[in-house]
Amino acid sequence: MYNLSLTACSFHLKKANSKGNTQIFNLNTPFDVELEDDSKYHFEDLSELFISFFENHKTLIKDNTKQQSFRCEYDKKNYRETDLFRMYCVKIYSGIYGSSSDIIDGKTEKVRYKKKSSDIDTRPFYLMIIFPKDNEKVTVQKGMFIFQNVGQFGVKTITTTLMQKFFSDIFGLTLKCNTIAPDLFVRKVIRKDNIKKLLMIKNVKSNDIADNISVGYGSEIREISNLCFNETMWSKIMDRIRFVAGGKYNLFEFEQQQYDNLKVIVDIGGRNRTINLHNLENLSIIEGIPDDIRMADGHPNLPMLIEYFQKVATEYLKEMVLHIS
């Protein structure tokens, strides 16, 4: 049976084709959008944009290039609100098609159904969209997506891609997804029990000045695998990893040598993932969901999942920068 996990990232919305961090919208502020065809839209806050997306994707959509399906099921009953945020829950059905197969009985090995290439193997997933509340110190511009996954299957990519297209085509807005907080990402994703390799990169320069005029002379990569740390050594390594992640030009020190960059290979759900510690801006947090939330059919118990995601959102928001401009 597949384990359940979550994928979490931050998001913000800005005016399409605006440069840098200009014309970013406040999440909780009423605003109007006027398009080139003179049509006008008024929103009390940006949550209404997402509800509009849910309503416009109630029926099945098929991406014949990726051979993947998508549809939303939004129920207001699953809305939650705390002192810190509002949380919108949507159920997403997605699956793949394009090849035939036999569905067999796991006990008798007899064929129960012959799947055609046009049949879609559809699974349900949940997405929680977190809208932090404004306070005396900050006007919020960044929200949070928390996606529920089943084993290796998830819907973050197809969902955010369709959202980006919808917001751009209809409202002239650009949806951007980023990491929640670099240090939080490191602590959640890189653990002693899942780290596989360290790739330490040293920029090498020639003694001949002529070699270093433009792009330099190259780089040296040192690979350390089959890692095994005691608690003391792991604590030191993690402190150094977090230091590297904290700044683009921070060096990684190992065995009295300094390296210009560090990449870490970790096992996430049985698949190796390479993390560049100097490029965490667009990476999502991935971590497991407690086993007691998974029901006998392999899917989550929704009330328990909502309660758990509320706790996760509360924890993550403590470290998330909510205003950009």
Side-chain angles (χ1 to χ4, degrees), residues 198 200 202 222-224 227 229 233 236-237 240 251-259 262:
L198 296 177
M200 299 172 287
K202 183 189 292 287
R222 182 181 178 188
E223 178 179 313
I224 306 293
L227 300 171
F229 301 106
M233 178 58 71
K236 291 180 179 179
I237 289 292
R240 293 170 186 173
L251 303 179
F252 179 69
E253 183 177 336
F254 187 79
E255 294 182 343
Q256 298 182 330
Q257 292 194 52
Q258 291 187 325
Y259 295 87
L262 174 68

Side-chain angles (χ1 to χ4, degrees), residues 72-190:
C72 288
E73 189 176 275
Y74 175 62
D75 190 339
K76 294 180 181 179
K77 292 187 300 183
N78 295 322
Y79 170 82
R80 296 292 185 274
E81 184 170 354
T82 72
D83 292 339
L84 297 177
F85 57 83
R86 294 174 290 140
M87 185 166 77
Y88 298 83
C89 173
V90 61
K91 191 173 187 178
I92 295 171
Y93 293 91
S94 183
I96 57 174
Y97 58 95
S99 63
S100 61
S101 63
D102 291 339
I103 308 298
I104 67 171
D105 186 305
K107 295 180 179 179
T108 65
E109 298 185 23
K110 293 182 179 180
V111 176
R112 299 289 299 272
Y113 178 76
K114 289 185 175 293
K115 177 180 174 293
K116 297 178 292 185
S117 61
S118 59
D119 291 336
I120 303 175
D121 181 11
T122 301
R123 298 173 186 269
F125 303 86
Y126 289 101
L127 162 64
M128 311 297 173
I129 304 180
I130 313 299
F131 275 72
K133 293 182 178 180
D134 296 347
N135 57 55
E136 295 178 355
K137 296 181 179 180
V138 63
T139 300
V140 174
Q141 294 181 325
K142 292 174 67 176
M144 187 190 307
F145 291 139
I146 306 181
F147 293 89
Q148 169 253 315
N149 313 310
V150 180
Q152 63 181 328
F153 302 102
V155 291
K156 176 180 178 287
T157 299
I158 188 171
T159 303
T160 55
T161 299
L162 288 172
M163 283 181 175
Q164 287 165 340
K165 177 175 173 54
F166 179 76
F167 295 149
S168 176
D169 291 350
I170 306 300
F171 304 110
L173 302 177
T174 297
L175 173 70
K176 302 288 289 184
C177 296
N178 299 105
T179 194
I180 291 173
D183 190 64
L184 178 65
F185 174 90
V186 169
R187 299 199 320 269
K188 290 294 183 181
V189 176
I190 302 175

Side-chain angles (χ1 to χ4, degrees), residues 200-227:
M200 299 172 287
I201 299 101
K202 183 189 292 287
N203 294 331
V204 180
K205 293 186 177 181
S206 169
N207 293 325
D208 186 344
I209 297 177
D211 291 331
N212 301 311
I213 292 176
S214 56
V215 295
Y217 194 67
S219 63
E220 172 188 330
I221 300 177
R222 182 181 178 188
E223 178 179 313
I224 306 293
S225 58
N226 298 320
L227 300 171

